[in-house]
Amino acid sequence: MAHDLVIVANRLPVDRVAGPDGKMGWRASPGGLVSAIEPVMRAGDGVWIGWPGGTEQHLEPFDIDGLHLVPMSMTPEEIENHYEGMSNGTLWPLYHDVVAKPEFHREWWHEYVEVNRRFAEKAAELAAPNATVWVHDYQMQMVPQLLRELRPDLRIGFYLHIPFPPAELFQQLPWRRQILEGILGADLVGFQLPGAAQNFVRLVRQRVGHKTHRDLVYLPDGRTVRAAAFPISIDATGFDDLARSEIVARRAQEIREALGNPKKIFLGIDRLDYTKGIYARLRSFGELIRDGELDVDEAVFVQVAVPSREQVEQYRLLRDEIDRLVGRLNGDLGRIGKPLISYLHSSYPREEMAALYRAADIMVVTPYRDGMNLVAKEYVACRVDEDGALVLSEFAGAADELRQAWLVNPYDIDGMKAALLSACRADEHELTKRMRAMRKQITQHDVKAWAESFMTELDAEREHTKTVRSADRS
Ligand code: G6P
């Protein structure tokens, strides 16, 4: 069947996993991308092409909760080279300010292109004439170009969920020109922040040699491509409703009790990723306890680390580092029944996350670099009593919108300690003033508004190109 809307992403919104009884089933995938796109898909009759995790081959399309999903299988070599290699060993660290050292391997790159080609072919097969195809994220940057070669009739949008680096870093990529040309297959290219869109346009001018003006790129074939910022958001009302529900309120109370009813609960929730700044954050908190600024009888830090990319070397090393740090802090500074860090290496359903957000007095989000960070926005959405403090890294995209957070430089341990203390000691009036403003921001700019603005722009860009082309012909 042909579809008017096709979503292409590396991952499906659900993962294929084995249950305790060994039977295969589905579980929600990790990460920001999935939570952002799911509501968009539900609104239309689209189809979603993506990898369900694992190495199972020949999976049939299926529907789950009203979503049409088309699983793309990957071989062990494709997982190693395309997913763990080029996507997460090269592009992820390069695009995140080289927080870890990117590796460049030609076999990774070749497999990346081949996987992108397969995804593009599947999209070409499923899209109705003149349909819209929305391609997502850094694992799929060649898809727009490959798809346009197969189906020039399509309206193609590309959205990058992670940062797009400055030219000085992007330039390291041996395949920099190919990637820029890959993305330029789209009619509209969306980024989280205006600076990323500017980086992209500048690179296209310098490296591909196309004419550009402000946010527009003029291609030799007469097409124009627009690059602009569309800061992503969350289903703010959905989280607000969930947080207000009886079951979540009760669970939040249970969590506080289980922690021994401390005066202040600090919370971090992240994929276990080296970009997230978990180590420095826990160290800052540990020093505050050590220095006597905070008391282990009165304050606790709950850190949820969602397992992620566990086959990639850098992620394994990180896990060991965090394990060691948590053990050392609890060993040195904790007391019987009073660890200062309550560390959970696990993923949780939305309800449990909402309960954690409600239970926490201070949410600590301190990535070294982050495209947006939806956890920060989810916390705000769940603070239905307009209290709670957010400590937020300046280097998360969310800092552009959540100006009333305690903004910190995550590389500055003393600065982070000061912000944690100040957030912890803020009075009710100040907390409400800040939280109210942040709640207003995310309610007015939710994920629905994000998707609508992207789609409206995509229509407009396509119309613009058509008009320019017919004017050229006449
Ligand atoms: C980030 C990326 C997504 C990715 C997610 C989970 O949010 O932007 O594209 O899907 O992390 O990572 P994973 O490697 O498990 O897909």
Side-chain angles (χ1 to χ4, degrees):
M1 201 180 89
H3 296 263
D4 288 326
L5 173 65
V6 180
I7 303 284
V8 181
N10 191 59
R11 264 194 194 277
L12 282 182
V14 288
D15 264 355
R16 190 87 171 135
V17 286
D21 52 359
K23 265 208 208 137
M24 296 307 281
W26 299 103
R27 184 187 61 194
S29 306
L33 183 148
V34 165
S35 42
I37 311 298
E38 208 183 297
V40 182
M41 275 277 292
R42 286 191 189 286
D45 189 32
V47 64
W48 183 323
I49 301 174
W51 173 53
T55 51
E56 246 182 300
Q57 304 292 311
H58 310 300
L59 291 160
E60 291 298 316
F62 62 101
D63 287 3
I64 199 164
D65 290 345
L67 299 175
H68 305 307
L69 306 183
V70 177
M72 299 291 286
S73 51
M74 281 200 213
T75 63
E77 293 72 39
E78 285 172 336
I79 294 175
E80 200 183 321
N81 295 318
H82 159 77
Y83 171 68
E84 294 163 0
M86 186 69 198
S87 298
N88 292 313
T90 307
L91 296 168
W92 180 269
L94 181 69
Y95 284 26
H96 286 90
D97 275 7
V98 295
V99 173
K101 193 168 165 36
E103 287 183 35
F104 304 107
H105 297 295
R106 284 163 289 183
E107 60 281 19
W108 290 1
W109 163 248
H110 291 138
E111 198 98 52
Y112 177 88
V113 176
E114 285 322 305
V115 169
N116 274 238
R117 191 184 309 284
R118 270 203 305 120
F119 277 60
E121 282 165 2
K122 183 52 84 177
E125 180 191 318
L126 292 173
N130 301 307
T132 298
V133 179
W134 194 359
V135 183
H136 291 268
D137 230 356
Y138 61 103
Q139 309 92 337
M140 295 283 128
Q141 294 172 106
M142 297 304 291
V143 170
Q145 181 188 33
L146 296 169
L147 180 57
R148 182 163 300 282
E149 282 164 11
L150 296 168
R151 292 285 305 272
D153 61 304
L154 298 176
R155 180 181 299 164
I156 304 175
F158 177 78
Y159 188 80
L160 187 72
H161 292 249
I162 68 172
F164 190 80
E168 291 69 17
L169 295 179
F170 188 83
Q171 241 130 240
Q172 291 181 10
L173 249 189
W175 313 283
R176 55 199 181 191
R177 187 183 170 124
Q178 288 95 315
I179 293 222
L180 294 170
E181 286 177 340
I183 295 175
L184 286 172
D187 298 294
L188 176 65
V189 183
F191 298 91
Q192 301 281 15
L193 301 180
Q198 286 153 14
N199 289 346
F200 175 76
V201 172
R202 180 176 156 215
L203 271 158
V204 165
R205 193 171 54 242
Q206 288 176 344
R207 291 282 154 203
V208 195
H210 291 325
K211 222 178 109 203
T212 68
H213 179 64
R214 297 201 173 154
D215 57 359
L216 283 182
V217 178
Y218 299 91
L219 301 188
D221 67 358
R223 250 180 357 105
T224 58
V225 179
R226 192 166 163 236
F230 299 84
I232 204 166
S233 195
I234 55 162
D235 175 10
T237 329
F239 271 100
D240 181 283
D241 289 347
L242 186 63
R244 285 177 201 276
S245 70
E246 186 57 32
I247 183 160
V248 166
R250 206 172 328 118
R251 179 68 192 137
Q253 199 51 42
E254 273 172 29
I255 292 173
R256 291 199 76 101
E257 278 162 24
L259 291 165
N261 277 320
K263 269 205 193 128
K264 296 286 177 186
I265 299 177
F266 292 74
L267 175 67
I269 302 186
D270 314 80
R271 269 185 317 98
L272 187 46
D273 193 296
Y274 50 78
T275 58
K276 302 288 185 183
I278 301 172
Y279 191 96
R281 167 198 313 169
L282 295 181
R283 227 186 103 191
S284 306
F285 181 76
E287 287 191 13
L288 288 173
I289 300 269
R290 186 200 62 195
D291 302 347
E293 300 278 10
L294 292 174
D295 185 338
V296 75
D297 283 320
E298 294 182 347
V300 65
F301 202 117
V302 178
Q303 176 66 53
V304 175
V306 178
S308 188
R309 307 177 190 163
E310 290 177 297
Q311 302 311 315
V312 180
E313 169 84 359
Q314 305 269 18
Y315 289 76
R316 291 193 184 171
L317 294 175
L318 176 74
R319 182 171 181 195
D320 290 345
E321 274 171 23
I322 304 283
D323 282 355
R324 267 202 305 277
L325 178 68
V326 170
R328 199 170 67 226
L329 291 174
N330 284 338
D332 288 352
L333 301 166
R335 286 209 273 277
I336 286 188
K338 293 272 175 207
L340 54 152
I341 317 276
S342 185
Y343 178 60
L344 305 157
H345 181 245
S346 183
S347 69
Y348 294 98
R350 248 164 64 104
E351 288 74 18
E352 184 71 0
M353 303 274 272
L356 282 163
Y357 292 139
R358 275 210 71 168
D361 302 290
I362 301 117
M363 182 81 212
V364 193
V365 183
T366 54
Y368 293 124
R369 180 61 71 193
D370 211 330
M372 175 54 66
N373 197 294
L374 297 181
V375 163
K377 292 190 170 179
E378 288 172 7
Y379 177 68
V380 170
C382 286
R383 300 307 298 186
V384 294
D385 296 329
E386 299 184 322
D387 59 1
L390 174 65
V391 175
L392 178 62
S393 162
E394 292 165 20
F395 308 135
D400 271 28
E401 291 174 79
L402 304 178
R403 303 304 301 171
Q404 296 77 13
W406 273 264
L407 294 176
V408 294
N409 169 359
Y411 294 95
D412 171 10
I413 301 272
D414 286 339
M416 246 185 326
K417 285 165 70 179
L420 291 177
L421 269 191
S422 158
C424 182
R425 292 176 180 163
D427 64 29
E428 220 172 289
H429 174 72
E430 167 143 37
L431 291 176
T432 309
K433 197 178 76 193
R434 291 182 184 233
M435 189 52 76
R436 200 172 275 161
M438 293 194 286
R439 286 177 61 80
K440 189 165 165 214
Q441 170 70 22
I442 60 157
T443 315
Q444 287 175 352
H445 301 91
D446 65 357
V447 72
K448 202 160 155 262
W450 167 76
E452 273 168 12
S453 67
F454 188 89
M455 285 299 182
T456 310
E457 276 302 320
L458 181 53
D459 283 354
E461 187 49 38
R462 190 74 176 151
E463 283 315 307
H464 172 77
T465 292
K466 268 195 209 151
T467 321
V468 171
R469 284 186 156 181
S470 52
D472 281 353
R473 275 196 298 273
S474 58

